[in-house]
Amino acid sequence: MNIANWVLLVVTLLFVRFSDGSLSSDGFSEIPKKFLDFAKRQEVVDWMVGVRRKIHENPELGYEEFETSKLIRQELDKMGVKHKYPVAVTGVVGFIGTGEPPFVAVRADMDALPMQEMVEWEHKSKVPGKMHACGHDAHVTMLLGAAKILQEHREDLKGTVVLVFQPAEEGGGGAKKIIDAGALDNVKAIFGLHVSPDIPVGQVASRPGPLLAGSGFFEAVITGKGGHAAIPQHSIDPILAASNVIVSLQHLISREADPLDSQVVTVAKFQGGGAFNVIPDSVTIGGTFRAFSKESFMQLKQRIEEVIIGQAAVQRCSTTVKFQGDGKPFFPPTVNDKDLHEHFQIVARDMIGSQKVSIMQPLMGSEDFSFYQEAMPGYFYFLGMKNETLGKLESVHSPYFTVNEDALPYGSALHASLALRFLLDFQPKISSSVGKQHDEL
Ligand code: NI
C-alpha cells in the first residue's frame, strides 16, 4: 500500500463517520433533494415527458425494442454517456463515472404488451395491438432522467454507475439474458422500480426480504381413450381424470404448504372434448404457480408434476407435463437485500420525508428483476403515481392504463441518488482491497 492509498483509506474512513445517514453536516443527505429539484426543472420535465410520449406512441414487444433502444442510444449520445449495444438482443448498457470499480447498476425495462390501447389521447399507441400498459415507457424515461442527473454530477461519482436498459421483462426473461451476457459481472448492487397506480405520487413503498413471488407455468396433456359417451366402459375418460387432477392440485396449498408461507396454484386452462356424446381422447390443462421462496417454489413444481401424473394414473390415463413454454425461464421470487433496504430508506427519506416512504405487504405478482437478485444484492421498489384530483388510474396491464407523468422526476432522482450514495457508502468497504487488481466490467 503506497502513501496515496493510505491517504485514500484515511479519507474514506473519515467519510464513513460523517456520511452516516443521521448526520447532515457533510451535505450527502442533501443530495436526493438537490437531484429532485434538478429533475423537476421545467426543461428537464419537458424533455422527459417528450421522451416518454415518443416511446408510448411506438410500443415494441420483448426482444423487438429496436426503435426504443435507438432512441435511448441517441439520448445517451446527446448527454455524452458511453454505452454498449446490443446486449441481450436489444438491450443498452450505459456507464457514467470513473469507469473504475465499484460498479452499481440501475435498471429499466423497455418492452410493451400485446394489447390494444383503449385510451383516447394525443399520444396513443400508433401500433395496433401493442401498448405500453405496464409503464415501461416511463421506466425507460426515468432511467434516462437519472443518466442526465448523474452525468451532470459525474465528478462526484466515486466509481461507476451502470445503466441497464433491458429487453423483454414481460415473460421473456430479458434480465436473465443480460446476466448471461456477462454485462453485470463485478456489479456490487442493482436497483429497480415499478410505477404503481395505487401509491400516491411523490411516495414510494417496498419491503426488505420477499417482495414479489416466484412464478411458473405448467401445462399437462392427460390422455385416455376416446369413445361413445353412452358406453363409458369402452373408454378411458380423460375429462373425469383431469377433474380429479385439478381438485388434487388444490390440496397442495391447503394441505401441504405452510399456511404462513403464501403460495398459489391456479389451473386456468381446461380444454377437451367438443361433442355432447363423445368422450375425447385427451384433455389439456394448464395454470400458474407462485411462491415467495425458491425452496417452496421448487417443492411446488415437483409436487404439481407428481400429482398430475399420479392422479391421472389412478384413472388409467397417461400424462405429459411441461413447465413454461418456448424454453422461457421461471421467474424467481423478488427478494430485497436487507442492507440495501436500509440504504433505500435513508435515501428516500432524505428526498421525500419519512412519512412518504412506506413498508408494503408482499404481492403475488412477479418481476424478472429477480434474476439480477440471484446474481447480486438487489433492491426493487414501487413508485407512486396516484393523484385523486386527476381521476382514478387503472391498474397495470389494463387497456385503459395511464401514466401520471408527475412521477417522472421522483423516479429519476431516486435512481440517481440511490446509485451515487451507494458508491459513496461503498468506499470504505473497497478501501481494504486497494492495491488489488481492478475489476473490469
Ligand atoms: Ni411491468
Side-chain angles (χ1 to χ4, degrees), residues 5-318:
N5 288 339
W6 275 113
V7 171
L8 177 66
L9 179 62
V10 171
V11 169
T12 48
L13 288 174
L14 281 170
F15 219 48
V16 190
R17 283 196 63 172
F18 292 104
S19 67
D20 184 286
S22 58
L23 296 170
S24 59
S25 55
D26 49 66
F28 298 153
S29 58
E30 301 303 318
I31 291 170
K33 267 203 188 96
K34 277 187 197 157
F35 281 5
L36 182 59
D37 289 343
F38 180 95
K40 280 185 167 178
R41 284 189 203 166
Q42 198 55 50
E43 71 272 18
V44 178
V45 170
D46 290 346
W47 165 72
M48 285 197 287
V49 166
V51 167
R52 187 250 146 182
R53 291 179 179 182
K54 206 182 268 182
I55 300 171
H56 190 85
E57 283 180 4
N58 186 23
E60 297 172 296
L61 303 183
Y63 299 120
E64 297 171 2
E65 307 95 333
F66 294 103
E67 292 303 315
T68 308
S69 167
K70 194 165 142 195
L71 184 147
I72 290 165
R73 282 175 282 134
Q74 285 167 347
E75 292 298 335
L76 293 176
D77 285 339
K78 279 189 224 163
M79 293 175 214
V81 173
K82 284 189 197 143
H83 50 80
K84 263 193 214 168
Y85 172 85
V87 180
V89 190
T90 53
V92 183
V93 177
F95 306 91
I96 305 179
T98 61
E100 300 283 325
F103 299 103
V104 62
V106 193
R107 168 272 207 173
D109 39 14
M110 307 189 290
D111 56 326
L113 286 159
M115 55 191 284
Q116 180 62 41
E117 176 162 8
M118 300 299 280
V119 188
E120 293 303 332
W121 67 305
E122 205 187 331
H123 299 281
K124 181 178 177 174
S125 166
K126 290 184 172 156
V127 187
K130 293 180 192 174
M131 176 190 180
H132 268 292
C134 201
H136 299 187
D137 48 348
H139 298 170
V140 168
T141 305
M142 289 188 275
L143 191 52
L144 284 171
K148 196 181 256 310
I149 299 169
L150 290 167
Q151 181 68 349
E152 197 79 15
H153 296 84
R154 60 190 177 278
E155 306 301 329
D156 301 326
L157 292 174
K158 307 291 180 202
T160 307
V161 181
V162 182
L163 310 163
V164 183
F165 296 91
Q166 77 149 74
E169 190 282 326
E170 300 285 356
K176 187 170 188 312
K177 266 207 166 62
I178 296 264
I179 294 284
D180 291 348
L184 301 186
D185 293 354
N186 299 319
V187 171
K188 299 298 175 199
I190 186 163
F191 296 93
L193 64 75
H194 206 294
V195 289
S196 167
D198 303 317
I199 300 168
V201 67
Q203 300 194 21
V204 289
S206 189
R207 62 180 289 111
L211 174 68
L212 296 165
S215 102
F217 299 98
F218 62 92
E219 188 172 84
V221 179
I222 297 167
T223 305
K225 184 170 166 247
H228 199 296
I231 321 170
Q233 72 274 27
H234 291 164
S235 298
I236 298 173
D237 184 356
I239 292 208
L240 183 61
S243 305
N244 282 328
V245 164
I246 292 167
V247 171
S248 295
L249 285 173
Q250 291 312 311
H251 297 159
L252 293 180
I253 304 302
S254 70
R255 300 294 82 184
E256 293 186 22
D258 179 344
L260 297 178
D261 177 17
S262 303
Q263 301 177 27
V264 165
V265 175
T266 294
V267 176
K269 178 178 182 179
F270 192 147
Q271 292 173 338
F276 295 116
N277 54 359
V278 178
I279 292 171
D281 262 333
S282 67
V283 164
T284 302
I285 62 167
T288 183
F289 59 108
R290 314 261 165 144
F292 283 101
S293 72
K294 196 151 192 175
E295 297 72 49
S296 300
F297 185 83
M298 295 317 288
Q299 166 75 7
L300 209 45
K301 175 178 178 282
Q302 186 192 329
R303 290 292 293 138
I304 285 169
E305 185 161 11
E306 287 171 1
V307 165
I308 293 175
I309 293 172
Q311 185 60 58
V314 168
Q315 275 148 332
R316 299 175 293 154
C317 286
S318 62

